[in-house]
Amino acid sequence: MSELYLSCPPLADYVEEISEVAGYLWQKGWAECNGGNLSVDISHILEGHECRFEKEEHRGLDHTYSPLGGHYFLVTGSGYRFRDLARNVKDNACILRVDNDGSGYTIVWGGGNSPNFRPTSEFASHLSIHKLLLDRGSDERVVLHTHPTELIALTHFPEYKSESAINRALWGMLPEVKVIIPCGVGIVPYALPGSQKLAEGTIDAFNRGHSVILWEMHGCLATGKDAIEAFDQIDTLNKAAEILLLCRAAGQHPSGISEVQLKELVKAFNLKE
Ligand code: 13P
Ligand code: ZN
């Protein structure tokens, strides 16, 4: 077992859960090549432990994230594969500590032996979301981005470019979708992967009340208390997208669960509207 896990046993459970979810993403076909990335604010689990980190590689950030100063993140590497992460977290992800003034970070563990290891190219989106979660006092610590095939397909349909239209269609496919994602999915119009514009559009979508976000013609992003919770939301939404596309392929245009039936669900499960 790694020296680090011995000095901070709760970390081993986190790493195991991340491997499990990475395996699901690969099995689902949502993680082609290096598609997708994940970050976890692990600061709370390191508290009270004298962690035996192994290295110190300092890098700057393009933006300053002052409120995240001193926070530790477990982050997947840019260009690394989820299918490899499932077998080996240490070589395909890293732990880093954000500088006290939020203007850079130091990699303290992982990243294999590669001097070129960098956190995900979507790090700007991840850090912006972690900052938002911290501002809100949320207990959500995980940000997961993946490329779920059927959900991406729907973002190519002109009729599903609006949040109201896509949510009405997805909620209509099976009751679980309204129960698990009562506030619906937010849509961010296409923007360059890894760009500040994509990060800002994502924050706007979170501020509209969504906890799962679709990046048009690119992928999906969710937050959760743990990686499983983030995965489950995307899995539920993608199941609805699969059903919708199956019906379409069979020549059907399903009207889905009615407004009255959705209202009944909201009442029965005491859901947010
Ligand atoms: P990274 O390999 O840099 O994480 O990029 C994958 C991706 O999905 C970009 O949106
Ligand atoms: Zn992506």
Side-chain angles (χ1 to χ4, degrees):
M1 194 190 253
S2 154
E3 279 285 293
L4 176 62
Y5 302 158
L6 291 173
S7 62
C8 182
L11 197 56
D13 295 338
Y14 261 74
V15 166
E16 201 174 303
E17 193 210 40
I18 284 161
S19 304
E20 182 186 338
V21 168
Y24 296 158
L25 296 170
W26 167 245
Q27 287 156 19
K28 286 270 179 193
W30 301 349
E32 75 292 341
C33 193
N34 63 308
N37 30 72
L38 179 144
S39 65
V40 192
D41 187 337
I42 55 168
S43 313
H44 62 298
I45 54 169
L46 302 187
E47 267 167 30
H49 296 278
E50 279 295 321
C51 298
R52 287 199 285 273
F53 294 124
E54 296 166 1
K55 57 177 173 187
E56 282 204 6
E57 288 172 18
H58 188 263
R59 313 253 157 80
L61 281 164
D62 291 340
H63 278 75
T64 298
Y65 302 85
S66 318
L68 297 179
H71 279 243
Y72 285 87
F73 293 93
L74 179 59
V75 191
T76 54
S78 183
Y80 288 74
R81 297 171 177 83
F82 266 124
R83 65 177 186 266
D84 294 333
L85 185 77
R87 287 184 288 106
N88 183 335
V89 172
K90 196 175 178 190
D91 281 355
N92 297 281
C94 73
I95 293 176
L96 57 85
R97 181 188 184 279
V98 177
D99 296 352
N100 288 341
D101 66 359
S103 67
Y105 60 87
T106 302
I107 296 179
V108 293
W109 180 87
N113 291 321
S114 169
N116 298 323
F117 184 95
R118 294 280 183 283
T120 172
S121 56
E122 304 291 2
F123 204 31
S125 284
H126 284 255
L127 286 178
S128 304
I129 297 165
H130 284 295
K131 180 173 164 298
L132 183 87
L133 294 173
L134 191 69
D135 286 350
R136 286 180 179 175
S138 168
D139 56 358
E140 295 186 321
R141 316 246 189 241
V142 173
V143 177
L144 171 65
H145 163 56
T146 184
H147 295 172
T149 314
E150 288 79 7
L151 278 173
I152 297 172
L154 285 191
T155 70
H156 288 267
F157 284 44
E159 69 213 77
Y160 297 133
K161 299 271 179 195
S162 87
E163 285 175 354
S164 57
I166 201 165
N167 282 312
R168 188 61 194 84
L170 294 171
W171 284 331
M173 290 301 101
L174 73 166
E176 217 58 31
V177 186
K178 183 72 186 168
V179 175
I180 306 286
I181 305 109
C183 298
V185 67
I187 298 184
V188 180
Y190 181 83
L192 186 70
S195 63
Q196 192 60 30
K197 191 172 172 203
L198 186 58
E200 283 164 13
T202 306
I203 293 302
D204 289 346
F206 274 109
N207 282 331
R208 288 196 295 278
H210 304 290
S211 63
V212 188
I213 313 295
L214 276 176
W215 286 347
E216 187 190 16
M217 299 184 285
H218 178 161
C220 192
L221 192 144
T223 58
K225 290 187 200 62
D226 51 41
I228 295 281
E229 189 179 79
F231 169 80
D232 279 346
Q233 294 179 78
I234 301 176
D235 195 26
T236 306
L237 277 173
N238 198 66
K239 173 93 172 197
E242 276 181 79
I243 296 169
L244 182 55
L245 291 174
L246 266 177
C247 292
R248 289 290 193 98
Q252 298 295 316
H253 282 257
S255 47
I257 296 169
S258 71
E259 284 296 336
V260 172
Q261 289 164 334
L262 280 178
K263 285 206 160 55
E264 183 189 41
L265 265 178
V266 169
K267 203 167 159 215
F269 286 83
N270 198 18
L271 305 172
K272 276 193 233 164
E273 274 194 277

